[in-house]
Amino acid sequence: MNMHGSITRRNFFKSASAIGAGALIGHEVSSPSQLMAQADGASKPVVIASKNGLQATAKAMTLIQEGADALDAVIAGVNLVEDDPNENSVGLGGLPNEEGIVELDASVMHGPTGRGGCVASLRNIKNPSKVAKVLMERTDHVLIVGEGALRFARAHGFKEENLLTEESRQAWLRWKENLSTTDDWLPPHDIETKGIGMNRGPAYRNHGTINCNAVDLRGGISGCTSTSGLSYKIPGRVGDSPILGAGLYVDNEVGAAGSTGRGEANLLACSSVMVVEFMRQGKSPEEACLQACQRIVDQTKMKRLLDEQGRPKFDVVFYAINKRGQFGAGALWSGERFTVNTGEKDSRQLEMPFLFKRGA
Ligand code: GLY
């Protein structure tokens, strides 16, 4: 154990695979390593995504098998999630900032041409991933934010719409009404009501995001990350998703990695580029993801972010693929899942390898 009470670098791969790797959800059981073994050898198409990526990975793999470029495929997959009003962490229906306004972040990276595009704090446009791709293709810039990003999207014909669904507005209002005991916003209550107006802290905040990465039939590697970011954030807050190197990174000779979870922790570690570099050094995608998780643990020193055993109270999750079509993922905490499609059967969800078991 190190000073945080966590497992050491030497041991964590062993314990992660012993505890965490493995069960297939909804279909037959198989482990990530079995599936990776199937994908061993020559470059094979693969799509990996966060747990909200079942439809996205299926769509992306269908397009890849029809000959599509990996970037077009992952963006088409992510667009399904951005367009879904019931997915409250991405695109339309995403949870808003503290003023009740939805602000979206996204990044794309195209391995074969070594290009990328990102937008942050984009309002009124439900597909920030598409805007990021247009930025990559039609400008000399890599990152554009806020009002400038909205004007850029308008100039390229993107349709503006209100992204706040009734469900997300009501969730935001519940959050605001329960924010603290010192402001004037209270939920409906009567003389007997207890426990309202208490700041319930980060457990009630949402960092949901989609990351989707793919290898196509030509061995081209690309990725996309899209999010409405931390729910009820300070307006203008930007997480890791639209920052290349943090929420997404692609190197066409090595692989791709992306993240979901607490963006602030990942911005301080720049872990997606780290995952790709670990794979370049010979680590498997799973080993690289878990090593990046361990780096976040090692770099988290503020006590307010640590539990009694010195472990981060938050989670960060990484998803990675390499040039050969091998895939893997890793999280700080147990209980997560990721999605994969190797083109041989339907998209499937796998339990995520992890560093710490919840409740232990
Ligand atoms: N990982 C998404 C965010 O923190 O905004």
Side-chain angles (χ1 to χ4, degrees):
M1 306 286 264
N2 66 15
M3 62 180 290
H4 298 306
S6 61
I7 47 185
T8 63
R9 277 202 180 85
R10 223 188 19 238
N11 292 333
F12 77 73
F13 296 128
K14 223 187 323 178
S15 60
S17 55
I19 303 167
L24 189 65
I25 295 156
H27 300 268
E28 83 267 34
V29 172
S30 93
S31 74
S33 51
Q34 281 172 309
L35 290 165
M36 283 192 293
Q38 292 164 15
D40 250 343
S43 178
K44 292 184 77 173
V46 63
V47 185
I48 192 171
S50 37
K51 67 183 170 201
N52 51 357
L54 261 180
Q55 285 179 292
T57 49
K59 173 83 181 178
M61 183 52 78
T62 299
L63 292 173
I64 283 172
Q65 288 179 326
E66 289 168 5
D69 179 272
L71 184 58
D72 292 328
V74 295
I75 291 175
V78 166
N79 288 163
L80 296 177
V81 186
E82 291 174 335
D83 291 350
D84 180 355
N86 298 315
E87 161 58 75
N88 70 5
S89 71
V90 178
L92 177 67
L95 288 171
N97 67 21
E98 67 178 20
E99 293 174 356
I101 299 167
V102 179
E103 290 182 336
L104 304 177
D105 301 336
S107 57
V108 301
M109 203 162 171
H110 185 240
T113 56
R115 292 182 301 169
C118 316
V119 294
S121 298
L122 177 65
R123 299 181 177 189
N124 299 354
I125 308 288
K126 70 179 176 183
N127 297 126
S129 59
K130 282 188 184 170
V131 181
K133 182 166 184 264
V134 174
L135 184 79
M136 179 186 92
E137 290 176 334
R138 302 288 289 270
T139 77
D140 190 37
H141 301 329
V142 172
L143 172 62
I144 191 167
V145 307
E147 179 62 25
L150 178 56
R151 287 186 195 180
F152 175 81
R154 266 190 213 127
H156 281 277
F158 284 87
K159 184 170 138 261
E160 283 188 72
E161 59 193 294
N162 178 15
L163 302 179
L164 191 68
T165 56
E166 182 57 16
E167 190 194 343
S168 289
R169 186 189 65 76
Q170 287 187 13
W172 165 74
L173 198 57
R174 277 195 298 279
W175 169 79
K176 200 163 176 63
E177 289 173 341
N178 287 281
L179 191 57
S180 78
T181 50
T182 58
D183 68 23
D184 296 333
W185 295 73
L186 295 177
H189 59 284
D190 62 29
I191 195 166
E192 299 299 330
T193 306
K194 293 180 182 170
I196 59 166
M198 296 171 60
N199 187 346
R200 291 175 174 176
Y204 283 78
R205 315 288 293 280
N206 181 355
H207 286 91
T209 297
I210 182 164
N211 165 246
C212 187
N213 310 307
V215 180
D216 64 29
L217 295 178
R218 292 169 295 280
I221 307 172
S222 289
C224 175
T225 304
S226 183
T227 189
S228 50
L230 174 66
S231 54
Y232 323 131
K233 60 196 171 188
I234 294 173
R237 176 267 187 190
V238 175
D240 56 337
S241 304
I243 305 301
L244 297 180
L248 176 68
Y249 198 74
V250 178
D251 182 320
N252 211 54
E253 302 310 310
V254 179
S259 65
T260 60
R262 181 178 156 82
E264 280 72 11
N266 191 20
L267 281 170
L268 291 167
C270 280
S271 306
S272 288
V273 69
M274 192 182 293
V275 171
V276 171
E277 289 309 302
F278 288 149
M279 291 194 292
R280 192 193 307 278
Q281 292 162 15
K283 296 274 188 291
S284 71
E286 178 181 318
E287 288 170 341
C289 290
L290 287 168
Q291 196 157 344
C293 290
Q294 184 63 42
R295 186 69 64 89
I296 285 178
V297 173
D298 294 345
Q299 288 194 189
T300 304
K301 303 180 195 308
M302 302 296 288
K303 293 279 190 299
R304 70 183 176 86
L305 298 173
L306 301 172
D307 69 11
E308 323 72 54
Q309 296 182 55
R311 304 170 300 186
K313 288 181 188 164
F314 55 81
D315 206 1
V316 181
V317 184
F318 296 103
Y319 315 86
I321 51 175
N322 68 16
K323 187 79 178 166
R324 288 196 289 164
Q326 296 175 316
F327 63 86
L332 267 62
W333 287 97
S334 64
E336 284 290 338
R337 286 173 290 163
F338 68 101
T339 315
V340 72
N341 191 315
T342 53
E344 287 135 11
K345 31 185 153 170
D346 291 346
S347 291
R348 64 204 94 167
Q349 294 211 314
L350 298 171
E351 282 181 17
M352 178 80 66
F354 55 86
L355 297 185
F356 306 119
K357 191 163 176 58
R358 284 188 199 278

